[in-house]
Each structure stands twice: as C-alpha cells, then as structure tokens.
Amino acid sequence: MYWPGKTTIAGGSLKPHITIHDIAEMCHVSTATVSRALNGKPGIGTARREQIIKRARALGYVPDATAQSMRSRRTDCVYIVMYSGSGNGEPLLQLPPHEVFESMLGVSVRTHVLSVHDDLVEDLKQIEATYAPLLFVVFGPCLTDSWKFSSLTTPLLFVLSDDAPEGRPAVVSDDFAGALGVTESLLDAGHQRIALVSDSADGKRVNYEHRIEGFREALRRHGMRFDPSMLSTITVDFGDYLESSQEELKKALRSLLREDGLPTGYEPPTAVFVLSDFLALTLLKVVWNAGVRVPKDISLAGFGGWTMTKYAPVTLRTWTQPLADLVTVAGTAVSCLIRSKPFPKTLELSTQHPDGSYGTAIAVTPTTLMVPGFLRTGESVATIAAPPIE
C-alpha cells in the first residue's frame, strides 16, 4: 500500500507516517473536518467525530510537531494568491482593494502574484515559513499537481480553480448549468453545428470538464450526439495568454477561417462555444483578422463575463460570473474557515440578473460553495432560419 509520507527508522526499514490527509481520504471527508474532530472544535457531528477519532487511533496517528508549532504561531493574516495574467505582473483577476476583504473578515489581507512559470506550492511554502498566515486563498488556476498541496500546513481555499485538488474547500461557478444554458441558447438560435473550444496548460489535461459535460447534456436534451471532432483543445502559455493562443487557434480552427483543403462535403460549424472569455477574445481577433465576421459569418459565445470583453468589436454572448458575488462568497468562506465554522447552506447575493432576480450561492458539498451566473445575450450570435420542411 502506498503511504503519502514515510519516515526511515533504525535498520533502514520504512514505517508509514500517517497524516490528517491520509485520515481524510480514508474517511471521505476534508482535512478541515479531520482537524476539527481531532482538536475538539465545533462544526462536526458527534457520529462523524467519533468515526474519525477511532480511525486515527487505529492507524496510530501522531500529530506532527512541526505542524502544531506552525499553527500555534499563526499570524493574523490571510494571503490571496493568484497567477499573473500577463508579462507585466498584473493579476489574472482585478479584485477589490484589501480594505474590502479586511472589513469583511476582521483580519489583515495580503496579495501575492506569481509568474505562470513559478511553482505555486513552492511559493506558498516560502510564505508559510516566513509569515505563517491563517489561510491561503488561491484565485484561478493552480497549474501544479494536486498532490503537492499536502506538503502545506496552512489551510487553503480555492476560488474558480478548475484544477484544484478534490476535497479541499472551494468556491466554484455553476459550470455545468452555465454551459448548458449557453449551448441551449445557441441551439434555440438554430445552430446545429457548434464547435467547442477549451484550453490546456500542458496539452494533456483539458480544462473546464464540467462545462464540457454541460455542453454534452444540452445536445442530449435536443436529441443530438456529441461529435468529438468538434472539440478543440488549445495549449497556451498562461503567462502570455492572448498572444500564445493565437497561433494555436489558427492551426486548430482552419474550418472557422474557411481555408482551402477541407474535406469534400464537410459542413463547417455555424457557431463556436469557447469555454473561457480569455480564449473567446483571442478567437474573435483571429477570425476578424482572417476576414470572418462575427456574427455575420460565424456566431460566437463564451464563458465568464469578464470586463475585458468590453474591448471586443461586438458584445459577446457569455455566461456571466458576477465578480461581486464571487468576492462575497469567497469572503464568507474565508470567514468560516478561519473561525472553524461550517459553510452556510445558502447565501443570498446582491447582483441583479437581467430578469430582475438575484442569485443564491448554495453549498453543493459541505466544503464547496457554488456561485450562480446568468446568460448575457450580446450581439455575437445570429439566428439561423430553420430549414424548410419537405
């Protein structure tokens, strides 16, 4: 059996060193739940607490002295961590000033922005060793193997981190429902051939798995089969996103550019659903430079609703994730974690949707809060007339 941590004892043999991560995996709970159970803190049921304590005793769990020392000297500070979205060191998302978070949390807040070529976990280790923060809040992609986070003792919250390790506290968007809504809006507009475009940092793991599932479900509901050839995955440099993705898009989407050499009888898509607004903005530039007009020649939809899309020549149809709501929910999650309180089952939000309603964040798991979005129609999608009935 593989144990995540091993220590060498006399004679050179190996003895398993049990951590709370091992106990959490065996009990199918989060490390925060294990910590609450073993330290007698509230926010966990009696039966679950007894189950965790019993399993810890059976495994011979011994608290790590270094980790306990780290916890005892925690500073009154939360670190917000994210990658830079460009070579100039600007963060990927423009979050509110620290004062907004500090008034919500009652603790000091710092921001750490790292280059896409830096190792996130190594950076967090250095901050942990120097400042011993209360909590790390990771906004956006992790771009690292999830198992590496087990080397940290500081609690973590992941916000909009599609590649975050499973079971960790997280704030997520309604990826499945959002992609379902966008795809159905394209189908309702008469589009039967819809290309799907995602991105990848290494060319191996395709991002936005739940958005792809939402796309496939919309097709299924309309009696249509998913064609794998309609999915393109673009390998990008997240440190120089817009520039690095252009050449890859040109290679992968020849059909959108109406180039020669296409198979006889091939029907090009009439619409493209891009699973990230960052990539949708690049695609819009690529097709525009090729003389293909949106939505006259091709319709385009995205996901995110980020402010940068306002620079597009046409307003983009996109599933909008209100940043104000994400900040509210993230702040609530941070407050719960640093005070060892459970996440609320529901949380009313302040952003008004186009239909006049307001969203409600829900706890889809005990440690995961999902923030709803809404469809922004935009001008980038044209309606196609239905073919005549023969």
Side-chain angles (χ1 to χ4, degrees):
M1 181 175 182
Y2 170 76
W3 297 98
K6 292 184 177 180
T7 55
T8 304
I9 60 176
S13 60
L14 291 175
K15 177 182 178 181
H17 174 68
I18 305 301
T19 71
I20 64 170
H21 300 283
D22 303 323
I23 300 170
E25 182 176 351
M26 295 174 189
C27 295
H28 305 291
V29 297
S30 68
T31 54
T33 298
V34 174
S35 178
R36 285 196 291 268
L38 299 180
N39 290 287
K41 293 187 176 181
I44 180 175
T46 301
R48 179 55 60 85
R49 186 189 304 276
E50 291 176 352
Q51 175 203 14
I52 293 171
I53 292 174
K54 182 178 179 181
R55 177 57 64 92
R57 287 173 177 168
L59 293 170
Y61 169 72
V62 177
D64 187 290
T66 302
Q68 286 190 325
S69 174
M70 176 70 76
R71 286 191 290 270
S72 68
R73 67 180 182 88
R74 293 279 184 220
T75 57
D76 191 27
C77 182
V78 169
Y79 262 85
I80 295 174
V81 184
M82 71 182 79
Y83 281 104
S84 167
S86 62
N88 60 11
E90 290 295 321
L92 194 61
L93 294 175
Q94 295 298 322
L95 299 179
H98 290 169
E99 290 77 12
V100 174
F101 287 101
E102 291 174 344
S103 64
M104 295 171 63
L105 304 174
V107 298
S108 61
V109 175
R110 297 177 183 175
T111 298
H112 177 71
V113 180
L114 66 159
S115 163
V116 71
H117 302 295
D118 295 332
D119 187 302
L120 173 61
V121 173
E122 289 302 316
D123 269 41
L124 297 186
K125 282 182 179 180
Q126 292 182 26
I127 295 173
E128 185 177 72
T130 306
Y131 301 104
L134 285 170
L135 182 76
F136 287 124
V137 185
V138 178
F139 270 85
C142 301
L143 305 182
T144 190
D145 294 324
S146 59
W147 61 267
K148 291 184 178 180
F149 289 98
S150 62
S151 61
L152 297 166
T153 62
T154 305
L156 292 117
L157 173 70
F158 295 92
V159 182
L160 297 184
S161 304
D162 189 62
D163 55 348
E166 292 185 9
R168 297 282 188 146
V171 174
V172 301
S173 66
D174 54 349
D175 283 2
F176 179 87
L180 177 68
V182 172
T183 308
E184 288 193 328
S185 78
L186 293 173
L187 293 169
D188 291 342
H191 296 279
Q192 298 292 304
R193 296 276 293 172
I194 305 172
L196 190 65
V197 183
S198 187
D199 58 27
S200 172
D202 56 10
K204 299 176 182 177
R205 184 185 185 277
V206 181
N207 292 329
Y208 314 119
E209 175 183 328
H210 295 302
R211 297 179 193 180
I212 295 174
E213 291 176 0
F215 175 80
R216 297 183 66 159
E217 175 61 16
L219 296 182
R220 188 192 66 79
R221 293 185 184 185
H222 285 253
M224 300 169 62
R225 297 182 63 182
F226 173 69
D227 181 357
S229 69
M230 298 294 279
L231 170 61
S232 298
T233 303
I234 308 303
T235 303
V236 298
D237 176 355
F238 279 77
D240 192 15
Y241 193 98
L242 296 178
E243 291 300 323
S244 67
S245 58
Q246 287 191 65
E247 290 303 317
E248 294 299 317
L249 282 170
K250 291 177 183 178
K251 296 175 186 177
L253 300 178
R254 291 177 54 243
S255 61
L256 299 184
L257 302 180
R258 307 296 197 269
E259 293 183 1
D260 296 333
L262 295 175
T264 303
Y266 175 76
E267 293 184 39
T270 60
V272 187
F273 179 18
V274 187
L275 299 183
S276 161
D277 275 357
F278 291 97
L279 195 56
L281 195 61
T282 310
L283 177 58
L284 185 58
K285 180 179 180 179
V286 169
V287 297
W288 203 271
N289 288 342
V292 179
R293 293 293 174 257
V294 175
K296 179 182 177 182
D297 302 317
I298 189 81
S299 290
L300 178 64
F303 199 110
W306 304 127
T307 305
M308 65 171 189
T309 59
K310 69 181 181 181
Y311 299 112
V314 294
T315 55
L316 183 66
R317 175 170 299 190
T318 183
W319 191 259
T320 300
Q321 302 165 281
L323 187 57
D325 289 352
L326 288 167
V327 169
T328 296
V329 176
T332 299
V334 170
S335 181
C336 290
L337 289 171
I338 63 179
R339 291 168 177 80
S340 299
K341 294 182 178 180
F343 286 177
K345 294 183 178 179
T346 61
L347 183 64
E348 300 301 319
L349 302 173
S350 62
T351 299
Q352 188 174 26
H353 295 187
D355 63 1
S357 66
Y358 294 86
T360 301
I362 61 172
V364 292
T365 76
T367 58
T368 304
L369 287 167
M370 185 178 72
V371 183
F374 57 85
L375 183 67
R376 188 182 75 194
T377 55
E379 303 167 344
S380 62
V381 175
T383 300
I384 296 179
I389 300 176
E390 297 182 357

